[in-house]
Amino acid sequence: RLSASMQPGSPKNAFGDLVLVVGDICIPNRADKIPTQLEELVSASRLKQVICTGNYCSKPMLKWLQRLAPVVHIVKGDLDESKEFPFEKKLRVGSFDVGVIHGHQVVPWGDAESLAAYQRKLGVDVLISGHTHEPSVVEYQGRWLLNPGSITGAFNSIATKTCPSFMVLSVKKTEMTIFLYQLKDKKVVVTSKVFTKS
């Protein structure tokens, strides 16, 4: 399990460079706190970078994100009032070109074809978006669409409660392992998929 290897004292490069992908924190707008089990996992990890899909919603949450890793990438969500972050960002993670958006600018929200069109526009291997509060890992037309969901399980326009979740990307050269952490019935469930760039 990745969670065990994310604890202090684990081999530094056992999983490659670790990148936290998180979003839709929505504190205090739509949630009170990050579930303790998830916050402890995130705080104990040896992260190289953090990618946030927006809607951190408050200065304390922004400061929390900025303490987690030496490099933090944030895009502006529809509930974020700050003007210091862009609505989209393109970055390089290992050998992968990664695009980050909040997701409210894609209609219908979470639609694979609409997201793929945005992905083509940015010219990236992986597009990370949020807004739906529903985590997903989708291989589409030879590329990947990722959504970390909401780490707080904040409500959205469809559901009064969602499953708290986040992702960790383990990047080694041309291989990216995507670990999805979900809090289900008070237990952390971890699933993974591997994306290899040819």
Side-chain angles (χ1 to χ4, degrees):
R1 284 179 51 193
L2 179 64
S3 56
S5 299
M6 289 174 65
Q7 301 305 315
S10 65
K12 198 167 186 181
N13 293 316
F15 281 89
D17 288 343
L18 299 179
V19 180
L20 173 68
V21 182
V22 65
D24 293 299
I25 301 169
C26 298
I27 294 175
N29 304 47
R30 296 181 176 183
D32 296 324
K33 64 178 184 174
I34 297 169
T36 304
Q37 300 98 311
L38 298 188
E39 186 169 14
E40 286 176 353
L41 276 172
V42 168
S43 299
S45 62
R46 293 176 172 270
L47 300 167
K48 292 279 186 181
Q49 298 183 57
V50 172
I51 296 172
C52 177
T53 62
N55 280 0
Y56 57 87
C57 291
S58 64
K59 285 184 179 177
M61 288 298 96
L62 177 58
K63 288 180 180 177
W64 175 75
L65 286 167
Q66 292 170 332
R67 285 195 306 264
L68 293 175
V71 179
V72 179
H73 306 280
I74 300 172
V75 292
K76 181 178 169 69
D78 59 323
L79 299 178
D80 293 323
E81 294 180 6
S82 171
K83 294 180 181 176
E84 73 178 287
F85 302 111
F87 280 110
E88 66 181 43
K89 193 164 190 176
K90 188 175 172 179
L91 47 125
R92 187 88 168 164
V93 179
S95 300
F96 298 88
D97 291 315
V98 177
V100 187
I101 60 173
H102 176 60
H104 66 289
Q105 59 269 69
V106 174
V107 179
W109 296 336
D111 176 70
E113 180 52 46
S114 300
L115 289 166
Y118 210 105
Q119 185 175 36
R120 288 190 296 272
K121 176 186 137 186
L122 293 178
V124 293
D125 305 306
V126 179
L127 180 69
I128 300 173
S129 64
H131 193 61
T132 64
H133 300 202
E134 295 292 336
S136 63
V137 179
V138 177
E139 182 178 5
Y140 192 81
Q141 299 175 343
R143 298 182 182 190
W144 288 81
L145 306 171
L146 306 182
N147 186 327
S150 166
I151 194 170
T152 56
F155 70 87
N156 60 24
S157 57
I158 300 168
T160 56
K161 192 175 182 184
T162 59
C163 179
S165 61
F166 68 89
M167 289 177 178
V168 171
L169 311 180
S170 169
V171 183
K172 279 185 173 181
K173 297 180 182 177
T174 58
E175 185 177 279
M176 177 185 288
T177 306
I178 303 151
F179 294 91
L180 171 61
Y181 286 71
Q182 294 178 282
L183 187 62
K184 295 182 175 181
D185 299 321
K186 299 183 180 179
K187 291 183 180 178
V188 178
V189 177
V190 186
T191 54
S192 66
K193 286 191 179 181
V194 178
F195 176 27
T196 303
K197 185 175 179 178
S198 54

